Amino acid sequence: IPTEVGNLVNLQTLSLANNPFRGDIPSESIDKLLDLRTLDLSSDDTTDGSGLTGLLPTLSEQPNIVKVDLSNNKISGSIPSNFLASAPSDKPIVVNLSENLISGSVPVALSNKKRLDLYLADNRIDQIDSTICTNLAGWLGGDVETSNSCNGLLCPPGFFSSLEGRQTQDQSCQTCATSQYFGATKCGTTADGNVNERGILVEFFESMGGSYWKSSENWMAFQDDYCGWKGITCLSNSVTAIRLPNNDLSGTPPSSLFDLPNLS
């Protein structure tokens, strides 16, 4: 998408969904479209390597914005603290940022939007200030208020929900030891769809009484370097062997263990 799109100062709708875009989203140019009301750059398939990258536009000076759909791309970074700053606080706004690589937390400032439907499933959100969820009665059809927690916004790490990665009136958050981030819709995969090998090892540790092993050196000590855990052998950061003989393991290995793609 060319940066010159920012010169269309009277543009109200930019809807280019389901096109095989590549490259960075022109965030600075989009932020110049002050009368923008609808932005839809969503994708239905990125398996061919397509998908917009880069950082989210702030959309902080668009007082009439009502719909933003950037789902199923490869947008990274955090949600800007001034995201949707000028958007109306009392009108319905739908924002779908699902299936990207967005990290960090949900800005507390968004809680002043009383009728915001914010979809964030399958990203890398690792923090939500619980106080934000006490003031979201009108979000997501009332699901946040009904859940009496942030589960109505996103299921926490260690849980998942195949329906939008959150608790709804029809589905609650289900236990999933391999879920590493908020808002997982699948159990056993990372936000970008790969097998969550660390999560599987964590589930193995918990299922096999890891706290009582003779030796559990480095297990659970590092967030990402699971290849340094005792008994684990990796090739290119993927588990190829688990060797823990005579170590007082007990219990039943989780079925997810056999999802490790290179375990031999």
Side-chain angles (χ1 to χ4, degrees):
I1 300 175
T3 57
E4 288 79 7
V5 70
N7 296 328
L8 302 173
V9 295
N10 295 314
L11 193 67
Q12 295 184 357
T13 298
L14 181 60
S15 181
L16 302 172
N18 302 330
N19 282 291
F21 290 122
R22 288 177 170 82
D24 285 356
I25 181 172
S27 295
E28 293 184 4
S29 298
I30 290 173
D31 282 336
K32 295 178 181 178
L33 304 174
L34 302 186
D35 199 28
L36 194 64
R37 301 165 188 221
T38 296
L39 174 65
D40 188 351
L41 303 177
S42 60
S43 175
D44 61 355
D45 183 14
T46 57
T47 57
D48 60 354
S50 63
L52 292 168
T53 55
L55 304 178
L56 276 175
T58 67
L59 298 172
S60 61
E61 298 184 36
Q62 283 71 22
N64 299 310
I65 195 80
V66 294
K67 177 184 177 181
V68 179
D69 192 345
L70 302 175
S71 61
N72 202 17
N73 280 289
K74 299 173 183 176
I75 297 169
S76 57
S78 59
I79 302 173
S81 59
N82 60 342
F83 186 63
L84 301 178
S86 297
S89 61
D90 57 348
K91 294 183 179 180
I93 307 173
V94 178
V95 178
N96 191 348
L97 305 177
S98 301
E99 297 185 71
N100 277 284
L101 303 174
I102 297 168
S103 57
S105 62
V106 179
V108 175
L110 284 176
S111 62
N112 72 353
K113 310 303 177 189
K114 304 305 181 185
R115 301 176 66 186
L116 177 63
D117 287 345
L118 178 62
Y119 300 96
L120 284 169
D122 292 330
N123 277 285
R124 296 179 177 178
I125 303 295
D126 58 11
Q127 183 180 358
I128 297 180
D129 186 334
S130 60
T131 61
I132 191 177
C133 299
T134 63
N135 192 35
L136 305 180
W139 282 35
L140 296 164
D143 286 338
V144 179
E145 182 181 36
T146 302
S147 70
N148 293 316
S149 69
C150 289
N151 288 4
L153 178 60
L154 290 172
C155 294
F159 293 83
F160 85 109
S161 171
S162 59
L163 191 61
E164 300 174 356
R166 63 186 185 88
Q167 179 176 324
T168 68
Q169 296 180 13
D170 300 316
Q171 189 172 68
S172 60
C173 297
Q174 306 293 315
T175 301
C176 175
T178 61
S179 171
Q180 190 174 358
Y181 299 105
F182 284 87
T185 63
K186 305 178 185 68
C187 189
T189 60
T190 62
D192 51 7
N194 295 320
V195 174
N196 184 359
E197 299 197 28
R198 182 189 186 279
I200 291 173
L201 292 179
V202 170
E203 187 175 13
F204 174 76
F205 181 86
E206 294 174 347
S207 298
M208 303 301 292
S211 299
Y212 303 99
W213 294 352
K214 287 182 180 178
S215 177
S216 57
E217 184 181 354
N218 292 335
W219 277 78
M220 318 297 282
F222 305 113
Q223 178 66 19
D224 296 314
D225 189 19
Y226 50 84
C227 293
W229 295 356
K230 179 180 176 63
I232 300 301
T233 302
C234 291
L235 179 64
S236 299
N237 209 41
S238 182
V239 178
T240 58
I242 302 175
R243 297 184 178 93
L244 294 166
N246 303 314
N247 204 38
D248 285 350
L249 275 70
S250 63
T252 303
S255 59
S256 61
L257 192 68
F258 303 101
D259 292 330
L260 293 169
N262 294 305
L263 188 66
S264 58

